[in-house]
């Protein structure tokens, strides 16, 4: 549906933008503070707290974006050895657990912000800024991540079990090099190479 595509693109844009601005701004503020401290013997009192908050926002929104790209670390050795139907059920279960966790953190993060607002907690060093502003990263970023996991669950449910397990990173690299197993089904040498890669991945727990 169009509305879901718009929501997906909007969330993706927000995640990428804040992650990029946060890391860039954090590095810039930290560098400026170091130069001011050692070159001019002057320290920016607000720089440390600002740097922490910028890196915090960058990390959380970057993590939320990783759910879209399926870029979080995952050990898939069990999925590689069980039947595809079982692998699909296991993937669905793991994503449901992840979704519940993300929604729980988002909910309790929102409740904590309400408490901070009621207490009128403010930053001492950062221009008396209300602390609910930096803390709001928790419910927002985790809600965005939960939406991405919801998309993944929909994708799992709508995908046939025999296509549910993705290529490993090593297999993807071989495929990008033009020597993937699917593209060279008749080439015995390439098939043997891909088989060897799978065996090594099993022995290393998918850390090849």
């Amino acid at each position: 549906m169009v509305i879901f595509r718009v929501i997906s693109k909007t969330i993706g844009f927000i995640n990428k933008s804040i992650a990029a601005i946060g890391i860039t701004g954090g590095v810039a503020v930290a560098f400026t503070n170091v130069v001011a401290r050692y070159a001019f013997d002057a320290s920016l009192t607000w720089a440390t707290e600002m740097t922490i908050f910028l890196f915090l926002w960058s990390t959380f929104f970057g993590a939320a974006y990783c759910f879209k790209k399926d870029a979080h670390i995952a050990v898939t050795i069990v999925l590689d050895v069980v039947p595809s139907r079982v692998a699909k059920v296991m993937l669905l279960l793991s994503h449901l657990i992840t979704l519940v966790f993300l929604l729980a953190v988002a909910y309790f993060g929102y409740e904590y912000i309400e408490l901070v607002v009621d207490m009128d907690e403010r930053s001492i060093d950062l221009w008396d800024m209300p602390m609910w502003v930096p803390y709001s990263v928790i419910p927002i970023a985790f809600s965005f991540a939960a939406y991405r996991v919801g998309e993944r669950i929909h994708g799992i449910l709508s995908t046939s079990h025999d296509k549910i397990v993705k290529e490993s990173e090593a297999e993807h690299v071989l495929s990008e090099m033009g020597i993937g197993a699917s593209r060279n089904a008749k080439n015995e040498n390439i098939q043997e190479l891909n088989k060897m890669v799978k065996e090594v991945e099993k022995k290393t727990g998918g850390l090849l």
Side-chain angles (χ1 to χ4, degrees):
M1 294 178 64
V2 177
I3 182 65
F4 290 114
R5 286 199 295 270
V6 173
I7 293 174
S8 180
K9 289 183 178 181
T10 302
I11 291 177
F13 175 77
I14 293 173
N15 285 337
K16 288 191 294 183
S17 299
I18 294 180
I21 293 172
I23 191 69
T24 304
V27 170
V29 172
F31 177 77
T32 302
N33 193 37
V34 169
V35 172
R37 182 179 301 169
Y38 290 100
F40 303 101
D41 196 25
S43 180
L44 304 175
T45 57
W46 50 267
T48 299
E49 198 166 1
M50 172 68 83
T51 302
I52 292 173
F53 291 152
L54 286 171
F55 282 148
L56 185 69
W57 276 64
S58 176
T59 300
F60 277 100
F61 279 94
Y65 182 72
C66 284
F67 278 105
K68 174 180 174 57
K69 296 297 184 179
D70 200 20
H72 285 286
I73 296 174
V75 179
T76 60
I77 184 172
V78 177
L79 298 178
D80 293 335
V81 298
V82 299
S84 58
R85 294 181 186 275
V86 177
K88 180 174 181 176
V89 173
M90 292 176 65
L91 271 176
L92 184 61
L93 180 61
S94 67
H95 280 76
L96 285 172
I97 294 173
T98 303
L99 178 63
V100 171
F101 171 76
L102 293 172
L103 289 175
V105 175
Y107 172 75
F108 288 111
Y110 175 76
E111 285 201 332
Y112 181 71
I113 286 179
E114 287 188 322
L115 177 63
V116 171
V117 171
D118 291 339
M119 295 176 60
D120 195 27
E121 184 179 345
R122 293 176 178 271
S123 171
I124 297 175
D125 297 327
L126 202 57
W127 313 308
D128 200 36
M129 181 179 68
M131 289 305 295
W132 66 264
V133 175
Y135 291 163
S136 63
V137 65
I138 297 176
I140 297 174
F142 275 80
S143 296
F144 286 174
Y147 181 84
R148 291 304 187 193
V149 174
E151 287 184 329
R152 293 284 299 136
I153 291 174
H154 177 268
I156 293 171
L157 290 173
S158 59
T159 302
S160 175
H161 66 88
D162 57 337
K163 299 179 180 179
I164 202 67
V165 179
K166 292 186 175 181
E167 291 179 328
S168 67
E169 185 175 353
E171 290 174 317
H172 179 69
V173 171
L174 292 177
S175 179
E176 289 291 313
M177 295 171 62
I179 52 176
S182 58
R183 296 181 180 179
N184 301 273
K186 296 181 180 181
N187 191 315
E188 294 183 1
N189 292 331
I190 292 180
Q191 291 297 318
E192 188 65 27
L193 173 63
N194 281 268
K195 182 179 179 181
M196 182 179 66
V197 168
K198 285 189 175 182
E199 290 298 323
V200 173
E201 285 198 314
K202 289 179 181 179
K203 293 178 181 179
T204 59
L207 299 178
L208 177 62

